[in-house]
């Protein structure tokens, strides 16, 4: 009650001061009012200005984002990035029939490009080229190729159009396989099926293992794969295999598939076993009944070829097979 009375008593004094024109007292009163209530007015004004600034910045951010998204969309249409091509590839037409003119043109084109690969030519001209020989696998009669997976079933334009070229060391410890994989061997469109890559590594590593066994007979006991990157379809790849160890009836092989630029796509480590009965098999006697069995046992080992004078001379059989037949 006393505080209310004091407040009421102060009001007339202020009014009196104003009526009497006391500018000094009026100025003091304004200063007191400003000190007491000015901070609320200034805070509200600052809040309004900050809110207006944030709205302007947000408008600029939205406009910049819109421009950036539009530019990215247009550039993606003109030149799609690699990840976009992998996730959303452009559909490819189906492979042409093998007996059609288009199919024959595809086969001729792939064969021509395969023999003129810069990496293959570099290998042929390397200082140690005389330590290697060339072979074309799947040299089997048509009746056997009909049911052979990689050499027959997949042998068509748009898949595996032509037999690969194998460059192998004469001591059979290492081999490079140059092969073309078309758009017809995909899982996800545009990406080669991982099962096919596993099959190729199984055959490539198996070739090294079988040629390391005295009987040239072996079976896959274990095959471990690491997929490093997607393998794009419709390109040439190089499968490299190397004999790591032979211990009795066991052989360990390392293999990997690379693109022509050396990028590793898949790696493999395989264990092959020579069956116990292999040493008892008389390959000469079996060959008399089944003339083509021994060649198929050699898996991917076809007729050896060697470059002479810019061309290729095809031998009847590889040196290893000829030696085995003469036993």
């Amino acid at each position: 009650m006393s505080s209310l009375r004091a407040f009421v008593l102060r009001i007339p004094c202020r009014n009196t001061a104003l009526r009497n024109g006391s500018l000094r007292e009026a100025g003091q009163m304004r200063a007191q009012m400003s000190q007491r209530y000015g901070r609320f007015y200034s805070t509200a004004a600052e809040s309004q200005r900050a809110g207006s600034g944030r709205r302007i910045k947000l408008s600029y951010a939205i406009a910049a984002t819109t421009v950036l998204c539009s530019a990215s969309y247009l550039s993606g249409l003109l030149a799609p990035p690699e990840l976009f091509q992998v996730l959303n590839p452009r559909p490819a037409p189906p492979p042409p029939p093998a007996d059609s003119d288009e199919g024959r043109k595809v086969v001729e084109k792939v064969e021509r490009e395969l023999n003129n690969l810069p990496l293959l030519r570099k290998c042929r001209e390397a200082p140690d080229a005389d330590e290697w020989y060339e072979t074309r696998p799947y040299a089997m009669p048509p009746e056997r190729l009909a049911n052979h997976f990689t050499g027959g079933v997949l042998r068509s334009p748009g898949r595996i159009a032509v037999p690969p070229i194998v460059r192998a060391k004469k001591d059979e410890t290492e081999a490079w396989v140059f092969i073309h994989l078309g758009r017809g061997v995909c899982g996800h469109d545009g990406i080669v099926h991982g099962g096919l890559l596993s099959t190729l590594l199984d055959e490539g590593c198996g070739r090294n293992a079988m040629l390391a066994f005295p009987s040239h007979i072996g079976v896959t006991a274990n095959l471990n794969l690491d997929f490093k990157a997607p393998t794009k379809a419709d390109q040439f790849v190089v499968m490299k295999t190397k004999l790591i160890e032979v211990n009795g009836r066991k052989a360990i092989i390392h293999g990997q598939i690379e693109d022509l630029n050396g990028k590793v796509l898949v790696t493999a480590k395989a264990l092959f076993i020579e069956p116990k009965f292999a040493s008892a098999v008389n390959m000469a006697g079996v060959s008399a009944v089944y003339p083509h069995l021994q060649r198929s046992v050699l898996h991917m080992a076809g007729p050896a070829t060697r470059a002479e004078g810019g061309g290729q001379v095809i031998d009847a059989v590889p040196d290893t097979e000829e030696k085995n037949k003469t036993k």
Side-chain angles (χ1 to χ4, degrees), residues 1-324:
M1 189 69 181
S2 58
S3 60
L4 179 61
R5 185 181 302 110
F7 180 77
V8 173
L9 291 176
R10 282 198 297 270
I11 293 176
C13 296
R14 293 172 181 172
N15 294 339
T16 304
L18 292 173
R19 285 198 300 269
N20 294 336
S22 177
L23 299 178
R24 182 178 179 181
E25 294 182 3
Q28 292 177 355
M29 184 180 65
R30 291 193 193 95
Q32 293 175 0
M33 297 293 287
S34 298
Q35 291 177 359
R36 185 175 299 177
Y37 302 107
R39 63 179 179 273
F40 300 105
Y41 298 131
S42 62
T43 303
E46 290 176 358
S47 299
Q48 291 179 354
R49 288 193 296 270
S52 177
R54 283 195 294 269
R55 286 193 294 271
I56 293 174
K57 292 180 180 180
L58 181 61
S59 300
Y60 286 154
I62 293 174
T65 303
T66 303
V67 172
L68 180 61
C69 291
S70 300
S72 300
Y73 178 76
L74 293 176
S75 62
L77 289 178
L78 298 176
E82 182 177 357
L83 179 60
F84 184 81
Q85 293 181 13
V86 171
L87 298 178
N88 190 21
R90 294 172 177 171
D99 56 353
S100 65
D101 292 338
E102 183 181 0
R104 284 188 285 270
K105 289 180 180 178
V106 170
V107 171
E108 293 173 0
K109 178 176 180 292
V110 173
E111 179 68 26
R112 183 172 57 255
E113 292 178 351
L114 175 62
N115 280 281
N116 289 280
L117 289 175
L119 182 58
L120 179 58
R121 295 173 62 182
K122 182 178 179 180
C123 293
R124 289 170 173 171
E125 298 171 358
D128 63 342
D130 57 343
E131 300 177 8
W132 299 67
Y133 69 90
E134 285 191 11
T135 179
R136 300 296 293 267
Y138 313 128
M140 305 176 190
E143 60 271 17
R144 292 195 59 83
L145 281 176
N147 295 319
H148 194 283
F149 182 50
T150 51
V153 177
L154 295 179
R155 176 78 176 276
S156 65
R159 297 184 177 92
I160 300 179
V162 299
I165 292 179
V166 180
R167 284 192 61 82
K169 274 195 170 182
K170 293 179 179 179
D171 60 3
E172 303 297 355
T173 59
E174 191 174 352
W176 288 25
V177 182
F178 296 81
I179 185 171
H180 182 269
L181 303 175
R183 287 294 294 265
V185 292
C186 298
H188 180 73
D189 192 13
I191 304 299
V192 176
H193 197 291
L196 175 63
L197 300 176
S198 303
T199 301
L200 294 176
L201 283 166
D202 181 35
E203 291 196 354
C205 293
R207 178 187 183 278
N208 275 95
M210 292 179 187
L211 293 176
F213 294 140
S215 65
H216 297 324
I217 299 176
V219 294
T220 308
N222 186 272
L223 179 64
N224 294 319
L225 299 172
D226 287 321
F227 294 91
K228 302 296 185 179
T231 302
K232 294 181 180 179
D234 197 18
Q235 69 163 330
F236 289 96
V237 296
V238 185
M239 176 172 57
K240 300 179 181 180
T241 60
K242 188 173 185 179
L243 178 64
I244 303 300
E245 179 185 356
V246 178
N247 186 6
R249 296 188 298 110
K250 298 180 181 181
I252 298 176
I253 312 294
H254 178 269
Q256 64 186 37
I257 295 178
E258 306 175 358
D259 63 13
L260 295 182
N261 295 321
K263 181 179 180 180
V264 178
L265 305 172
V266 191
T267 61
K269 186 176 182 181
L271 171 65
F272 291 85
I273 304 293
E274 184 182 33
K276 293 181 179 180
F277 65 83
S279 59
V281 175
N282 185 344
M283 294 304 296
V286 172
S287 298
V289 181
Y290 302 100
H292 306 294
L293 176 61
Q294 183 167 342
R295 185 178 293 280
S296 63
V297 163
L298 290 180
H299 221 14
M300 291 187 67
T305 63
R306 60 183 185 274
E308 289 188 2
Q312 291 183 342
V313 178
I314 301 179
D315 295 333
V317 290
D319 294 340
T320 54
E321 186 176 356
E322 182 66 33
K323 292 177 182 178
N324 193 53

